[in-house]
Amino acid sequence: MGPGNPAGATAGTAAAGPPQRPDVLVYVANLHSDTVSVVDTGTGTVVDSVAVGDGPDSVAVSPDGSRLYVTNSAADTVSVIDVRTRKVIDTVVVGDEPSRVTVSPDNRNVYVANVASDEVSVISTRTRAVTDTIAVGDAPLGLTLTPDGCTLYVANAASGTVSVVRTATGTVTGSIPVGSGPTALVLAPDGRHLYVSNLTSDDVSVVDVRGGTESDRIPVGDQPAGIGVRPDGRQVYVANIGSDNVSVISTRRGAVTETIASEDGPNGLAVSPDGSRAYVSNFDSDSLTVIDTSTARATDTLAVGDGPTGVTAAAPLPRPGSSAPPPAAHPAR
Protein backbone atom coordinates (compact mmCIF):
# COMPACT_ATOMS: atom_id res chain seq x y z
CA MET A 1 0.00 0.00 0.00
CA GLY A 2 1.26 3.49 -0.83
CA PRO A 3 1.73 6.48 1.44
CA GLY A 4 -1.19 7.83 3.44
CA ASN A 5 -3.88 10.07 2.02
CA PRO A 6 -3.10 13.75 1.35
CA ALA A 7 -4.67 16.41 3.51
CA GLY A 8 -8.43 16.32 3.36
CA ALA A 9 -8.69 12.95 1.56
CA THR A 10 -11.31 10.58 2.93
CA ALA A 11 -10.09 7.44 4.68
CA GLY A 12 -12.86 5.25 6.03
CA THR A 13 -16.46 6.28 6.60
CA ALA A 14 -16.90 10.01 7.17
CA ALA A 15 -19.75 11.27 9.31
CA ALA A 16 -22.80 12.59 7.47
CA GLY A 17 -23.63 16.29 7.52
CA PRO A 18 -21.40 19.35 7.78
CA PRO A 19 -17.79 19.04 9.02
CA GLN A 20 -17.37 19.33 12.78
CA ARG A 21 -14.41 19.98 15.02
CA PRO A 22 -12.88 16.67 16.05
CA ASP A 23 -13.00 15.54 19.65
CA VAL A 24 -9.60 13.93 19.22
CA LEU A 25 -6.72 14.09 16.76
CA VAL A 26 -4.68 10.91 16.39
CA TYR A 27 -1.04 11.13 15.31
CA VAL A 28 0.54 8.08 13.66
CA ALA A 29 4.27 7.61 12.94
CA ASN A 30 4.78 5.88 9.57
CA LEU A 31 8.13 4.09 9.59
CA HIS A 32 8.40 3.48 5.84
CA SER A 33 7.01 6.74 4.45
CA ASP A 34 8.91 9.04 6.87
CA THR A 35 5.72 10.88 7.80
CA VAL A 36 3.28 11.46 10.63
CA SER A 37 -0.38 11.09 9.69
CA VAL A 38 -2.84 13.44 11.42
CA VAL A 39 -6.25 11.78 11.74
CA ASP A 40 -9.45 13.69 12.47
CA THR A 41 -11.51 11.14 14.40
CA GLY A 42 -14.68 13.21 14.06
CA THR A 43 -14.79 12.72 10.29
CA GLY A 44 -12.61 9.63 9.92
CA THR A 45 -10.13 11.38 7.61
CA VAL A 46 -6.41 11.95 7.38
CA VAL A 47 -6.27 15.75 7.43
CA ASP A 48 -2.50 16.14 7.10
CA SER A 49 0.74 14.26 6.53
CA VAL A 50 3.86 15.80 8.07
CA ALA A 51 7.28 14.87 6.67
CA VAL A 52 9.80 14.08 9.41
CA GLY A 53 13.15 12.24 9.63
CA ASP A 54 14.15 8.78 8.45
CA GLY A 55 12.23 5.91 10.07
CA PRO A 56 9.78 7.60 12.46
CA ASP A 57 8.91 5.07 15.14
CA SER A 58 6.97 6.79 17.93
CA VAL A 59 5.15 10.00 18.79
CA ALA A 60 4.29 11.91 21.96
CA VAL A 61 2.28 15.09 22.54
CA SER A 62 3.36 17.65 25.15
CA PRO A 63 1.00 18.10 28.14
CA ASP A 64 -0.06 21.54 26.88
CA GLY A 65 -0.82 20.07 23.46
CA SER A 66 1.42 22.49 21.57
CA ARG A 67 4.27 20.20 20.51
CA LEU A 68 4.60 16.76 18.99
CA TYR A 69 7.85 14.82 19.42
CA VAL A 70 8.74 12.11 16.90
CA THR A 71 11.62 9.63 17.16
CA ASN A 72 13.39 9.00 13.83
CA SER A 73 14.95 5.59 14.40
CA ALA A 74 17.11 5.48 11.25
CA ALA A 75 18.34 9.08 11.59
CA ASP A 76 19.13 9.09 15.33
CA THR A 77 17.06 12.24 15.77
CA VAL A 78 13.84 13.59 17.25
CA SER A 79 11.63 15.88 15.17
CA VAL A 80 9.80 18.65 17.05
CA ILE A 81 6.49 19.62 15.43
CA ASP A 82 4.41 22.71 16.14
CA VAL A 83 0.94 21.19 16.53
CA ARG A 84 -0.92 24.30 15.35
CA THR A 85 1.04 24.79 12.13
CA ARG A 86 1.93 21.09 11.67
CA LYS A 87 5.49 22.09 10.72
CA VAL A 88 8.80 20.68 11.98
CA ILE A 89 10.43 23.50 13.96
CA ASP A 90 13.54 21.66 15.16
CA THR A 91 15.48 18.41 14.89
CA VAL A 92 17.43 17.12 17.90
CA VAL A 93 20.28 14.58 17.64
CA VAL A 94 19.98 11.83 20.27
CA GLY A 95 21.41 8.31 20.78
CA ASP A 96 21.52 5.32 18.45
CA GLU A 97 18.16 4.17 17.04
CA PRO A 98 15.70 6.17 19.15
CA SER A 99 12.62 4.03 19.54
CA ARG A 100 10.21 5.56 22.08
CA VAL A 101 9.50 9.00 23.48
CA THR A 102 7.53 10.55 26.34
CA VAL A 103 7.18 14.05 27.83
CA SER A 104 7.30 14.97 31.52
CA PRO A 105 4.03 16.15 33.11
CA ASP A 106 5.56 19.58 33.85
CA ASN A 107 6.49 19.91 30.14
CA ARG A 108 10.16 20.54 30.96
CA ASN A 109 11.80 17.39 29.60
CA VAL A 110 11.45 14.85 26.83
CA TYR A 111 12.73 11.31 27.43
CA VAL A 112 13.91 9.19 24.49
CA ALA A 113 14.78 5.48 24.63
CA ASN A 114 17.70 4.66 22.31
CA VAL A 115 17.49 0.95 21.59
CA ALA A 116 20.94 0.52 20.00
CA SER A 117 22.94 2.52 22.56
CA ASP A 118 21.23 1.21 25.71
CA GLU A 119 20.45 4.66 27.07
CA VAL A 120 17.80 7.32 27.53
CA SER A 121 18.38 10.82 26.18
CA VAL A 122 16.88 13.74 28.14
CA ILE A 123 15.91 16.76 26.04
CA SER A 124 15.09 20.17 27.51
CA THR A 125 11.87 21.48 25.96
CA ARG A 126 13.12 25.05 26.47
CA THR A 127 16.49 24.74 24.71
CA ARG A 128 15.60 21.68 22.59
CA ALA A 129 19.02 20.20 23.39
CA VAL A 130 20.09 16.98 25.12
CA THR A 131 20.91 17.75 28.75
CA ASP A 132 21.59 14.26 30.08
CA THR A 133 22.12 10.66 28.98
CA ILE A 134 21.06 7.82 31.31
CA ALA A 135 22.46 4.31 30.90
CA VAL A 136 19.73 1.68 31.38
CA GLY A 137 19.30 -1.99 30.37
CA ASP A 138 19.88 -3.66 27.01
CA ALA A 139 17.75 -2.44 24.08
CA PRO A 140 15.42 0.01 25.89
CA LEU A 141 12.04 0.34 24.21
CA GLY A 142 9.02 1.26 26.34
CA LEU A 143 8.89 4.40 28.48
CA THR A 144 6.38 5.73 30.98
CA LEU A 145 6.43 8.34 33.74
CA THR A 146 4.63 8.63 37.05
CA PRO A 147 2.05 11.48 37.18
CA ASP A 148 4.39 13.60 39.31
CA GLY A 149 7.24 13.04 36.84
CA CYS A 150 9.59 11.88 39.59
CA THR A 151 10.05 8.32 38.30
CA LEU A 152 10.66 7.01 34.79
CA TYR A 153 10.14 3.33 33.97
CA VAL A 154 12.03 1.86 31.01
CA ALA A 155 11.33 -1.54 29.41
CA ASN A 156 14.59 -3.17 28.29
CA ALA A 157 13.80 -5.68 25.53
CA ALA A 158 17.09 -7.58 25.47
CA SER A 159 17.62 -7.84 29.23
CA GLY A 160 14.06 -8.70 30.23
CA THR A 161 13.90 -5.96 32.84
CA VAL A 162 12.29 -2.65 33.70
CA SER A 163 14.71 0.06 34.85
CA VAL A 164 13.49 2.44 37.54
CA VAL A 165 14.95 5.92 37.05
CA ARG A 166 14.86 8.83 39.49
CA THR A 167 14.39 11.75 37.11
CA ALA A 168 15.69 14.46 39.48
CA THR A 169 19.16 12.91 39.46
CA GLY A 170 19.05 10.84 36.27
CA THR A 171 20.05 7.73 38.18
CA VAL A 172 18.79 4.14 37.97
CA THR A 173 17.50 3.13 41.41
CA GLY A 174 16.23 -0.35 40.57
CA SER A 175 15.85 -3.09 37.96
CA ILE A 176 12.76 -5.30 37.91
CA PRO A 177 12.82 -8.68 36.08
CA VAL A 178 9.76 -9.23 33.89
CA GLY A 179 8.94 -11.45 30.90
CA SER A 180 10.92 -12.01 27.72
CA GLY A 181 11.30 -9.09 25.34
CA PRO A 182 9.50 -6.30 27.25
CA THR A 183 8.49 -3.80 24.59
CA ALA A 184 5.97 -1.33 25.99
CA LEU A 185 4.54 -0.47 29.38
CA VAL A 186 1.81 1.60 30.95
CA LEU A 187 1.15 2.75 34.50
CA ALA A 188 -2.31 2.21 35.97
CA PRO A 189 -4.11 5.47 36.84
CA ASP A 190 -3.92 4.70 40.56
CA GLY A 191 -0.14 4.36 40.26
CA ARG A 192 -0.05 0.96 41.96
CA HIS A 193 0.74 -1.29 39.02
CA LEU A 194 2.73 -1.30 35.79
CA TYR A 195 1.57 -3.41 32.86
CA VAL A 196 4.40 -4.55 30.58
CA SER A 197 3.91 -6.22 27.18
CA ASN A 198 6.48 -8.99 26.62
CA LEU A 199 6.98 -9.49 22.89
CA THR A 200 8.70 -12.87 22.95
CA SER A 201 6.94 -14.56 25.88
CA ASP A 202 3.43 -13.64 24.65
CA ASP A 203 2.26 -12.23 27.95
CA VAL A 204 1.87 -9.11 30.05
CA SER A 205 3.75 -8.66 33.30
CA VAL A 206 1.96 -6.95 36.19
CA VAL A 207 4.46 -5.11 38.37
CA ASP A 208 3.68 -4.08 41.93
CA VAL A 209 5.18 -0.60 41.94
CA ARG A 210 5.48 -0.28 45.71
CA GLY A 211 7.16 -3.64 46.11
CA GLY A 212 9.22 -3.32 42.93
CA THR A 213 8.46 -6.89 41.83
CA GLU A 214 6.44 -8.73 39.21
CA SER A 215 3.23 -9.87 40.88
CA ASP A 216 1.48 -11.59 37.96
CA ARG A 217 1.92 -12.70 34.36
CA ILE A 218 -1.13 -12.67 32.04
CA PRO A 219 -1.09 -14.65 28.75
CA VAL A 220 -2.27 -12.63 25.73
CA GLY A 221 -1.90 -13.00 21.93
CA ASP A 222 1.22 -13.60 19.86
CA GLN A 223 3.96 -10.97 20.08
CA PRO A 224 2.26 -8.31 22.21
CA ALA A 225 3.58 -4.82 21.56
CA GLY A 226 1.58 -1.60 22.03
CA ILE A 227 -0.32 -1.25 25.29
CA GLY A 228 -2.76 1.25 26.80
CA VAL A 229 -5.07 1.63 29.79
CA ARG A 230 -8.47 3.26 30.22
CA PRO A 231 -8.53 6.34 32.47
CA ASP A 232 -10.75 4.49 34.95
CA GLY A 233 -8.15 1.73 35.16
CA ARG A 234 -10.61 -1.09 34.50
CA GLN A 235 -9.18 -2.40 31.23
CA VAL A 236 -5.75 -2.67 29.62
CA TYR A 237 -5.53 -3.05 25.83
CA VAL A 238 -2.70 -4.93 24.12
CA ALA A 239 -1.90 -5.00 20.38
CA ASN A 240 -0.64 -8.45 19.33
CA ILE A 241 1.50 -8.24 16.19
CA GLY A 242 1.67 -11.98 15.57
CA SER A 243 -2.02 -12.84 15.99
CA ASP A 244 -3.57 -9.73 14.37
CA ASN A 245 -5.76 -8.91 17.33
CA VAL A 246 -6.10 -6.87 20.50
CA SER A 247 -6.39 -8.45 23.94
CA VAL A 248 -8.57 -6.72 26.53
CA ILE A 249 -7.43 -7.39 30.09
CA SER A 250 -9.73 -6.88 33.05
CA THR A 251 -7.49 -5.41 35.74
CA ARG A 252 -9.85 -6.66 38.44
CA ARG A 253 -9.82 -10.26 37.19
CA GLY A 254 -6.21 -10.22 36.01
CA ALA A 255 -7.20 -12.04 32.80
CA VAL A 256 -8.13 -11.46 29.16
CA THR A 257 -11.91 -11.01 28.85
CA GLU A 258 -12.19 -9.99 25.17
CA THR A 259 -10.19 -10.47 21.98
CA ILE A 260 -10.80 -8.00 19.14
CA ALA A 261 -9.76 -8.73 15.56
CA SER A 262 -7.61 -6.09 13.93
CA GLU A 263 -5.88 -5.72 10.55
CA ASP A 264 -2.44 -7.15 9.76
CA GLY A 265 0.39 -6.48 12.20
CA PRO A 266 -1.20 -4.43 15.02
CA ASN A 267 1.69 -2.62 16.64
CA GLY A 268 1.11 0.74 18.34
CA LEU A 269 -1.88 1.45 20.57
CA ALA A 270 -3.33 4.53 22.24
CA VAL A 271 -6.46 5.07 24.32
CA SER A 272 -8.38 8.33 23.85
CA PRO A 273 -8.22 10.81 26.74
CA ASP A 274 -11.82 10.05 27.73
CA GLY A 275 -11.35 6.28 27.41
CA SER A 276 -14.12 5.81 24.84
CA ARG A 277 -11.88 4.65 21.99
CA ALA A 278 -8.66 2.75 21.43
CA TYR A 279 -6.59 3.36 18.30
CA VAL A 280 -4.38 0.62 16.88
CA SER A 281 -1.75 1.09 14.15
CA ASN A 282 -1.47 -1.92 11.80
CA PHE A 283 2.08 -2.10 10.47
CA ASP A 284 1.50 -4.62 7.69
CA SER A 285 -1.76 -3.17 6.35
CA ASP A 286 -0.90 0.56 6.55
CA SER A 287 -4.03 1.29 8.54
CA LEU A 288 -5.47 2.48 11.84
CA THR A 289 -8.19 0.47 13.60
CA VAL A 290 -10.69 2.33 15.79
CA ILE A 291 -12.13 0.34 18.73
CA ASP A 292 -15.19 1.30 20.76
CA THR A 293 -14.14 0.41 24.30
CA SER A 294 -17.73 0.23 25.58
CA THR A 295 -18.60 -2.61 23.18
CA ALA A 296 -15.10 -4.05 22.58
CA ARG A 297 -15.71 -3.83 18.82
CA ALA A 298 -13.73 -2.38 15.93
CA THR A 299 -15.87 0.37 14.41
CA ASP A 300 -13.68 1.72 11.61
CA THR A 301 -10.43 1.21 9.70
CA LEU A 302 -8.60 4.20 8.22
CA ALA A 303 -5.77 4.23 5.69
CA VAL A 304 -2.61 6.01 6.92
CA GLY A 305 1.04 5.99 5.77
CA ASP A 306 3.43 3.13 5.07
CA GLY A 307 4.40 0.98 8.07
CA PRO A 308 2.50 2.74 10.88
CA THR A 309 4.03 2.18 14.31
CA GLY A 310 3.69 4.62 17.20
CA VAL A 311 0.35 6.32 17.81
CA THR A 312 -0.99 8.90 20.25
CA ALA A 313 -4.29 10.73 20.73
CA ALA A 314 -4.92 14.26 21.99
CA ALA A 315 -7.53 17.03 22.00
CA PRO A 316 -6.94 19.43 19.10
CA LEU A 317 -5.76 23.03 19.34
CA PRO A 318 -7.17 25.78 17.10
CA ARG A 319 -5.24 26.25 13.85
CA PRO A 320 -3.62 29.65 13.06
CA GLY A 321 -6.21 32.24 12.06
CA SER A 322 -9.08 30.35 13.68
CA SER A 323 -11.22 32.16 16.23
CA ALA A 324 -12.97 29.00 17.35
CA PRO A 325 -12.22 28.04 20.96
CA PRO A 326 -10.65 24.65 21.61
CA PRO A 327 -13.00 21.87 22.67
CA ALA A 328 -13.38 21.01 26.31
CA ALA A 329 -10.54 18.86 27.52
CA HIS A 330 -11.18 15.20 28.18
CA PRO A 331 -10.60 14.01 31.73
CA ALA A 332 -6.95 13.39 32.46
CA ARG A 333 -5.76 9.83 32.85
Side-chain angles (χ1 to χ4, degrees):
M1 186 177 292
N5 293 352
T10 300
T13 305
Q20 299 183 12
R21 285 185 60 80
D23 288 333
V24 171
L25 289 177
V26 175
Y27 301 94
V28 185
N30 303 303
L31 189 76
H32 291 161
S33 55
D34 300 336
T35 60
V36 173
S37 296
V38 184
V39 179
D40 176 338
T41 61
T43 61
T45 60
V46 174
V47 296
D48 215 339
S49 181
V50 184
V52 289
D54 190 8
D57 198 14
S58 70
V59 287
V61 177
S62 61
D64 64 3
S66 68
R67 297 289 183 265
L68 186 71
Y69 298 92
V70 186
T71 56
N72 303 306
S73 60
D76 299 340
T77 61
V78 171
S79 294
V80 184
I81 296 173
D82 183 307
V83 168
R84 287 187 173 88
T85 64
R86 296 179 193 151
K87 303 292 184 184
V88 174
I89 58 173
D90 210 345
T91 302
V92 184
V93 177
V94 289
D96 296 341
E97 200 175 330
S99 60
R100 300 291 185 271
V101 60
T102 193
V103 188
S104 64
D106 62 9
N107 203 30
R108 291 184 177 181
N109 294 300
V110 176
Y111 297 90
V112 182
N114 304 302
V115 68
S117 52
D118 302 336
E119 64 193 13
V120 172
S121 297
V122 184
I123 301 171
S124 164
T125 58
R126 182 179 62 84
T127 64
R128 296 201 287 268
V130 173
T131 59
D132 198 5
T133 302
I134 306 166
V136 288
D138 296 339
L141 283 172
L143 292 170
T144 195
L145 283 156
T146 52
D148 61 7
C150 293
T151 304
L152 175 72
Y153 297 99
V154 185
N156 305 301
S159 54
T161 60
V162 171
S163 295
V164 184
V165 178
R166 184 183 180 192
T167 57
T169 59
T171 55
V172 175
T173 60
S175 181
I176 304 169
V178 288
S180 177
T183 299
L185 71 175
V186 67
L187 185 65
D190 64 7
R192 296 174 58 187
H193 294 98
L194 274 173
Y195 294 87
V196 187
S197 60
N198 300 309
L199 187 74
T200 52
S201 56
D202 300 338
D203 50 31
V204 169
S205 293
V206 184
V207 173
D208 181 329
V209 169
R210 182 172 296 179
T213 59
E214 182 187 58
S215 59
D216 199 4
R217 192 87 64 84
I218 303 170
V220 288
D222 296 341
Q223 296 180 289
I227 191 167
V229 62
R230 279 176 54 107
D232 60 14
R234 293 180 180 180
Q235 284 91 28
V236 169
Y237 298 84
V238 187
N240 303 303
I241 298 173
S243 52
D244 297 337
N245 56 30
V246 174
S247 298
V248 183
I249 296 172
S250 164
T251 55
R252 182 177 63 83
R253 299 182 187 179
V256 172
T257 57
E258 301 277 357
T259 300
I260 306 166
S262 184
E263 298 254 312
D264 296 339
N267 186 355
L269 187 147
V271 177
S272 65
D274 68 350
S276 67
R277 299 289 185 271
Y279 303 98
V280 183
S281 60
N282 303 298
F283 185 81
D284 296 322
S285 57
D286 302 336
S287 65
L288 182 76
T289 295
V290 182
I291 294 171
D292 184 329
T293 59
S294 66
T295 62
R297 291 178 179 272
T299 59
D300 206 354
T301 301
L302 316 174
V304 289
D306 290 351
T309 53
V311 56
T312 193
L317 296 175
R319 299 301 304 279
S322 171
S323 59
H330 291 298
R333 288 190 183 180

